[in-house]
Amino acid sequence: MNKADVIVVGAGHNGLTSAAFLAKAGLKVLVLEKNPWIGGAAVSRSLHKDWIYSNCSYVCSLLRPEIFRELELGKHGLHVVPYGGGVTFTRDGDILGNYVDEEVKRREIMRYSARDGDAYLRYSRDVMRQCRLVRSLLMRTPPDPTSWRWRDLTEMRHIGREFAALGPAVLADTIRFHTMSIADYLNEYFESDVVKANLAGSGIIGTALGVQSPGTAYVLLHHYMGDVDGQMGAWGFARGGMGAVSQALASALTSFGGTIKVDAPVAQIVVRGGRVRGVALDNGDEYSAPVVISGLDPKRTFLGLLASGDLDPAIAKRARDFKIRGSSGKLNIALDGLPTFPALGKNNPLAAGDMHFLDSLERYERAYDDWKRGMWSRDPYLDLLIPSLTDPTMAPPGKHFMSVFVQYVPVKVKGQDWTDADREAFKKTVFQQISRYSPDFESLVLHAEVRTPRELEAEVGLTEGNIFQGELTFDQLLFNRPFPGFAQYRGPVKGMYMCGSGTHPGGGVMAAPGANAAREVLLDLKRGNTVPNGWSDD
Amino acid sequence: MRTPREHFRLVVKYTPFHSRTVAANELNLWHRWRDYSVADAYFDVSLEYTALRNTCAVFDISPMTKHRITGPDALAFMNRLVTRDVAKIKPGRVGYAVWCDEQGQVVDDGTIFHLSPGVYRLCSQERQLDWLHTARLGFDVTVVEETEDVAALSLQGPTSCATLCALGLTGIETLTPFGMRTFAFGEAELLVSRTGFTGDLGYELWIDPAHAEALWDALFEAGNLYGIRPLGTHALDIARIEAGYIQAGVDFLPADHAIRADRTRSPFELDLAWLVDFSKPHFTGRRALLAEQSRGSRYRLVRLDVAGNKPATDAYVYDAKRRVVGTVTSAVWSPMSKASIALASVAMPHGAVGTPLWAEIYYQKELKWNRTNVECTVLAGPSYDPPRRKVTPAPMR
């Protein structure tokens, strides 16, 4: 059985999403995954007995509810559980808490600046204005602005209308917003450095830019535009870890008759007579299909899956130039008990939220400086969560799973490949950062999985370990994602498509690229569309 | 020096009168008013309302946002902030005001208390600290929020003056509407203003929170013979709609909350043209409002008398040709006029006084939903405006 209507390369959440919508349309779909497990970067694995880790992505907010509903992911076992708030620890032993209650959050900000407590309202309003614009584009295929095709013109008109609806003042803000740094943006609202630092993290996560770098304001938006049950900007856990997202998608896919084959690394897309004929695996096995969709990042897709002979050099150059710099690492830790964070005090609900340890924009920028010099940050940004405080499936009762996202982490250490000794030293840096705020943390560690860009690339297949399959900068967004001419999910060869986060609207476990790609495939195959339109915010 | 981080353990704060309002709240009904919880109703909405219109009733307004503005440029600052001429609010006087963003859209409404020469208190629905600090640039003024530093009660109704006389506030009956005066209350200073949100004879009492409970006790003792009752938000809401008063977040969206374009309103669009004074020095929104004046407004706030006996809650408003021209923002059955009344925002040129509009009302009786289309009359003013509101000396009952 080596024939299918559609082959999807990579069982990440976008590949599975594409596959599910296509199978739902009645196509015979085969998903090929190189690892013995599925999920790509939305994966839960048990690396320590009785513990489940969200090994890569670890929180869930952007997953489009339209997709959740259409594929009945709830029935297939997915439950997104909102978690409450977050906290920034300060060097003087205090905290700035992002309490869930708006009034308590305001009072907390007012501890640092009375004015900033009120300014937060204006800030939230302005960010939401920009979010609304971006949200309206998520479940749509970007138009080609250079084309005169009817569909592109119609789509350009849609975007034009969305922009016009903003009104002149907000439109002016929008144009500025997309080129600003998160530091400049926050400086326009707040006076307290701690308040700014508390908000800045969302601007740099997964991005090889510093808080002073233009373009980071948009990255913040990318982390605000999701919602959990209509609660805009809220984040949650997938019950059972982020692998539950992939498992639910896989369950939906198989319910529609689709097939997933693991341990099946694809070596190449087979092209004959100017069109796709199927794929060849590393072991030489061939699978034939008139349609192949790559869930891999643009570099691996264009420069790996396609034989160089099948690719125009100009396009290959575009792929080589695509920015996909690694900047982050991840620690997954099994804990023998709940570590204490003295600054939180007893029974603070924020212990279940996201914790951060940089209390000034200066420290953020210094952390980035280390990365530029080819080192991991000595004083790193951490996005630390203890999901087991919310999700009882992650660790035995009384024990805990700690997820630690780390930035900045270079792809090469001072120009050399990562060694195991480097990785051990990196782990020590992160442990020290946590221990500064939690003295008993290290004594509770039972097991730790340490992932540098080296592991993220080797295991997950993310080039340079970039979590978004390519940076979310203005030059690589919308009709420029991954690069001009290829933003409509079609590859350079007939029958070839792309569905990964390297396409619009980008990463963050949205599943929107996968859904949008499926819509394009169905359009080309003249099949009935199974992919939902985006919901309106109005 | 930061305040203690433990504040989060008390999510909802207690007003300075909490011990007394808890004791009075027989129904144990509460809702959130920013940092605080206040009573929806104490014993019976209808009877609380009746006390307000027939005797007198007490509403805890302590959660209202309060800012103090002082300094050599206080008047100039206030005048640049709001649309009316603050120079005309003399020391010892209070003025209702709105303030706008640079596009002439209403940020909030509230009252300005000219406490003493150059010292103002701004009472508002929304938090304004960021806005005031932004507006402060170039002015020699100090702006501080004093919401927590001042406890306040609103005493409203025909026997409110008599109650204050019984409390020992000699001469209070000579206080004119929008006037204020201070009295000694034990060791504390009690500020009394003839203001309110009910369209009736009434006063607001302002005091150091340390003396709040004593004030409540003394007031209820003084009002014992005058039918004093506690008043919850539901009953107050009936009164304020009867009086035709608008409420931020209900009848208009504060401009600094608006995410979608075209959701905000200008003072003209809220029937507050009388608060806009183009002859005074420059104020925020002036250019936009001048342009609107010559171009014409987009919307109009109308006070409606709705035929029949069903409150027009959330109703669409239609013109004679059955086109939707607006929506009801506040609606209630008015016990004083025995009429269904409403505030609505309609697109221009609809809603001129005397022209007919129609409201589509959904209502249910015993779980069965019905729909009715009824004619509405646009009123020239509030549906209830008793003479006692303005009379000085104030009547005793």
Side-chain angles (χ1 to χ4, degrees):
Chain A
M1 264 315 295
N2 289 357
K3 282 174 78 100
D5 294 327
V6 178
I7 289 171
V8 176
V9 182
H13 69 282
N14 277 313
L16 293 168
T17 301
S18 260
F21 281 116
L22 294 171
K24 195 179 178 191
L27 293 166
K28 194 177 162 203
V29 182
L30 172 64
V31 181
L32 298 171
E33 166 59 44
K34 78 177 176 92
N35 283 323
W37 58 84
I38 64 159
V43 62
S44 303
R45 297 181 62 206
S46 182
L47 300 181
H48 185 73
K49 192 177 174 312
D50 295 333
W51 264 258
I52 296 172
Y53 292 167
S54 277
N55 301 74
C56 298
S57 64
Y58 49 99
V59 284
C60 188
S61 161
L62 305 180
L63 181 68
R64 298 313 306 154
E66 298 94 335
I67 295 167
F68 192 116
R69 177 174 174 162
E70 194 67 27
L71 295 177
E72 300 187 294
L73 297 184
K75 274 191 195 168
H76 290 288
L78 181 57
H79 182 190
V80 178
V81 189
Y83 70 80
V87 57
T88 291
F89 291 80
T90 63
R91 275 165 297 180
D92 62 4
D94 203 342
I95 58 165
L96 173 57
N98 302 312
Y99 292 95
V100 177
D101 185 274
E102 289 300 320
E103 297 300 330
V104 178
K105 183 189 291 185
R106 172 177 176 272
R107 296 204 293 263
E108 178 75 356
I109 296 173
M110 289 179 83
R111 294 177 56 230
Y112 291 85
S113 157
R115 182 182 176 176
D116 285 357
D118 274 9
Y120 186 77
L121 178 77
R122 185 164 55 92
Y123 164 80
S124 304
R125 174 200 67 178
D126 288 353
V127 171
M128 276 306 133
R129 284 172 167 175
Q130 302 304 328
C131 278
R132 256 173 47 76
L133 177 69
V134 178
R135 280 165 64 92
S136 76
L137 304 174
L138 296 178
M139 289 295 286
R140 306 179 80 101
T141 295
D144 179 347
T146 66
S147 140
W148 291 94
R149 285 191 311 157
W150 175 248
R151 185 171 171 227
D152 290 311
L153 292 174
T154 310
E155 204 55 31
M156 283 302 283
R157 190 181 61 181
H158 167 79
I159 294 178
R161 280 183 175 161
E162 292 288 340
F163 273 86
L166 297 173
V170 179
L171 183 55
D173 282 347
T174 302
I175 292 163
R176 295 179 68 236
F177 188 88
H178 284 263
T179 52
M180 284 176 87
S181 75
I182 185 61
D184 284 345
Y185 191 68
L186 293 170
N187 280 333
E188 292 193 356
Y189 293 89
F190 303 107
E191 57 187 17
S192 157
D193 207 30
V194 178
V195 173
K196 288 183 254 187
N198 180 50
L199 296 168
S202 298
I204 51 117
I205 283 187
T207 305
L209 294 170
V211 289
Q212 310 279 5
S213 312
T216 43
Y218 171 77
V219 180
L220 172 112
L221 196 63
H222 201 82
H223 290 96
Y224 273 48
M225 67 192 185
D227 62 283
V228 178
D229 301 326
Q231 189 71 33
M232 289 270 278
W235 283 81
F237 297 116
R239 195 172 192 270
M242 287 302 281
V245 174
S246 303
Q247 292 301 334
L249 286 164
S251 172
L253 167 64
T254 49
S255 78
F256 299 130
T259 313
I260 303 169
K261 192 170 165 54
V262 296
D263 281 321
V266 173
Q268 202 143 79
I269 295 177
V270 178
V271 177
R272 273 195 303 271
R275 65 159 305 141
V276 160
R277 303 292 171 178
V279 299
L281 302 193
D282 282 355
N283 65 10
D285 289 357
E286 290 210 3
Y287 291 83
S288 71
V291 172
V292 173
I293 308 175
S294 169
L296 276 48
D297 68 58
K299 276 199 201 293
R300 279 177 144 69
T301 299
F302 282 78
L303 306 175
L305 291 181
L306 280 177
S308 45
D310 293 326
L311 197 59
D312 287 344
I315 301 171
K317 181 172 174 4
R318 290 264 197 200
R320 275 199 302 276
D321 293 343
F322 182 68
K323 274 190 305 179
I324 186 167
R325 299 175 295 182
S327 62
S328 52
K330 177 87 195 290
L331 269 66
N332 298 304
I333 303 166
L335 295 170
D336 202 22
L338 185 64
T340 48
F341 290 85
L344 280 180
K346 276 199 185 338
N347 300 322
N348 190 322
L350 298 180
D354 38 42
M355 303 189 196
H356 309 101
F357 307 94
L358 297 188
D359 62 355
S360 73
L361 294 179
E362 170 85 15
R363 285 174 74 193
Y364 275 95
E365 194 64 18
R366 293 292 158 258
Y368 181 47
D369 289 343
D370 290 338
W371 179 88
K372 283 185 274 184
R373 294 191 197 101
M375 280 300 294
W376 61 85
S377 308
R378 285 162 291 185
D379 179 19
Y381 169 78
L382 306 184
D383 187 25
L384 182 153
L385 289 122
I386 307 175
S388 47
L389 279 172
T390 305
D391 178 355
T393 68
M394 304 302 282
K399 315 288 182 186
H400 289 283
F401 160 54
M402 180 186 273
S403 165
V404 189
F405 173 88
V406 190
Q407 195 154 321
Y408 297 84
V409 191
V411 179
K412 286 179 185 280
V413 180
K414 292 195 179 292
Q416 305 296 313
D417 286 337
W418 279 83
T419 64
D420 289 348
D422 291 333
R423 192 169 70 151
E424 199 55 31
F426 164 66
K427 173 180 141 183
K428 197 175 162 199
T429 301
V430 176
F431 273 28
Q432 278 172 350
Q433 184 76 312
I434 301 170
S435 296
R436 270 180 212 122
Y437 303 90
S438 178
D440 59 355
F441 155 74
E442 272 203 68
S443 66
L444 295 167
V445 175
L446 298 173
H447 171 263
E449 180 194 23
V450 185
R451 319 191 81 187
T452 71
R454 175 179 70 162
E455 287 77 26
L456 291 171
E457 171 149 12
E459 287 177 26
V460 188
L462 293 167
T463 299
E464 297 203 8
N466 183 296
I467 66 169
F468 294 134
Q469 279 202 355
E471 281 176 73
L472 296 170
T473 48
F474 199 40
D475 55 325
Q476 299 194 152
L477 289 176
L478 199 61
F479 38 69
N480 289 334
R481 190 168 186 88
F483 27 84
F486 295 93
Q488 297 183 330
Y489 308 98
R490 288 171 187 79
V493 181
K494 193 169 167 56
M496 179 195 159
Y497 297 83
M498 297 163 287
C499 71
S501 296
T503 57
H504 170 79
V509 197
M510 265 191 275
N516 290 344
R519 194 193 294 114
E520 295 303 313
V521 172
L522 291 170
L523 189 70
D524 288 354
L525 296 180
K526 299 189 166 54
R527 304 286 288 228
N529 180 32
T530 53
V531 180
N533 292 324
W535 290 333
S536 166
D537 281 334
D538 290 325
Chain B
M1 192 54 206
R2 290 172 211 149
T3 52
R5 73 187 81 150
E6 296 295 311
H7 70 90
F8 71 89
R9 300 199 189 276
L10 185 68
V11 172
V12 185
K13 293 203 253 186
Y14 304 123
T15 81
F17 300 101
H18 187 74
S19 64
R20 303 305 189 262
T21 54
V22 163
N25 198 333
E26 297 170 10
L27 303 176
N28 199 21
L29 290 175
W30 304 89
H31 71 278
R32 218 32 208 279
W33 182 359
R34 309 235 172 274
D35 278 317
Y36 301 90
S37 55
V38 291
D40 291 322
Y42 285 92
F43 55 100
D44 182 284
V45 173
S46 173
L47 293 178
E48 290 165 34
Y49 168 83
T50 301
L52 163 67
R53 294 293 191 216
N54 179 50
T55 52
C56 69
V58 178
F59 184 82
D60 180 2
I61 54 171
S62 304
M64 190 193 299
T65 305
K66 301 177 273 288
H67 293 95
R68 182 173 289 240
I69 294 110
T70 54
D73 294 340
L75 171 61
F77 170 80
M78 293 300 288
N79 235 354
R80 219 270 305 266
L81 179 77
V82 304
T83 59
R84 68 179 287 174
D85 189 356
V86 182
K88 291 180 181 164
I89 305 172
K90 302 295 179 199
R93 301 289 300 169
V94 185
Y96 175 60
V98 290
W99 48 104
C100 296
D101 64 10
E102 68 284 3
Q103 296 173 62
Q105 303 302 295
V106 175
V107 171
D108 203 356
D109 66 341
T111 43
I112 298 169
F113 286 68
H114 198 167
L115 297 170
S116 58
V119 179
Y120 294 92
R121 173 181 296 157
L122 180 66
C123 294
S124 59
Q125 178 69 21
E126 302 297 324
R127 268 61 177 270
Q128 299 297 334
L129 199 59
D130 179 50
W131 184 258
L132 295 174
H133 273 279
T134 304
R136 197 187 57 150
L137 191 70
F139 289 91
D140 187 2
V141 290
T142 306
V143 177
V144 289
E145 185 180 345
E146 57 175 14
T147 304
E148 287 197 14
D149 306 330
V150 184
L153 293 175
S154 181
L155 174 69
Q156 305 279 308
T159 62
S160 54
C161 184
T163 297
L164 293 184
C165 287
L167 187 65
L169 307 189
T170 311
I172 187 70
E173 68 280 2
T174 63
L175 189 64
T176 55
F178 288 100
M180 63 175 138
R181 206 174 286 172
T182 54
F183 298 87
F185 179 78
E187 289 169 11
E189 182 181 81
L190 174 66
L191 174 69
V192 181
S193 57
R194 190 170 164 184
T195 47
F197 199 46
T198 60
D200 216 311
L201 171 65
Y203 301 85
E204 289 170 331
L205 291 74
W206 314 80
I207 199 162
D208 178 346
H211 300 272
E213 290 166 333
L215 175 64
W216 177 284
D217 294 343
L219 198 59
F220 275 79
E221 196 182 320
N224 189 31
L225 298 177
Y226 302 100
I228 194 168
R229 295 283 183 276
L231 180 72
T233 304
H234 290 338
L236 176 73
D237 204 42
I238 302 172
R240 74 101 190 159
I241 299 170
E242 284 185 327
Y245 294 158
I246 57 170
Q247 190 177 340
V250 177
D251 300 294
F252 71 94
L253 181 68
D256 56 358
H257 290 230
I259 291 168
R260 292 159 183 82
D262 199 42
R263 295 297 198 275
T264 56
R265 296 290 184 267
S266 75
F268 298 127
E269 293 167 341
L270 295 173
D271 195 28
L272 298 173
W274 63 278
L275 283 178
V276 181
D277 185 350
F278 289 121
S279 67
K280 71 162 195 165
H282 181 73
F283 59 91
T284 306
R286 184 177 190 272
R287 274 183 287 269
L289 291 174
L290 272 174
E292 181 181 335
Q293 201 182 39
S294 61
R295 185 188 64 229
S297 300
R298 303 162 301 165
Y299 301 99
R300 170 160 32 211
L301 179 122
V302 290
R303 297 177 179 83
L304 299 176
D305 183 308
V306 182
N309 58 357
K310 311 291 186 298
T313 309
D314 299 334
Y316 271 124
V317 178
Y318 295 85
D319 67 0
K321 291 180 180 160
R322 304 282 300 132
R323 286 177 307 204
V324 174
V325 296
T327 50
V328 165
T329 54
S330 291
V332 77
W333 171 257
S334 163
M336 292 311 290
S337 44
K338 298 292 177 247
S340 169
I341 59 169
L343 305 179
S345 181
V346 298
M348 293 294 274
H350 302 283
V353 172
T355 59
L357 291 170
W358 296 78
E360 182 179 54
I361 302 174
Y362 288 76
Y363 64 97
Q364 60 141 313
K365 295 289 177 189
E366 297 180 321
L367 300 185
K368 182 181 184 301
W369 280 92
N370 303 298
R371 186 179 67 169
T372 178
N373 265 293
V374 294
E375 191 167 353
C376 309
T377 310
V378 179
L379 301 172
S383 49
Y384 183 65
D385 188 15
R388 63 176 174 250
R389 180 172 76 90
K390 293 179 193 146
V391 171
T392 310
M396 287 296 152
R397 53 180 183 262

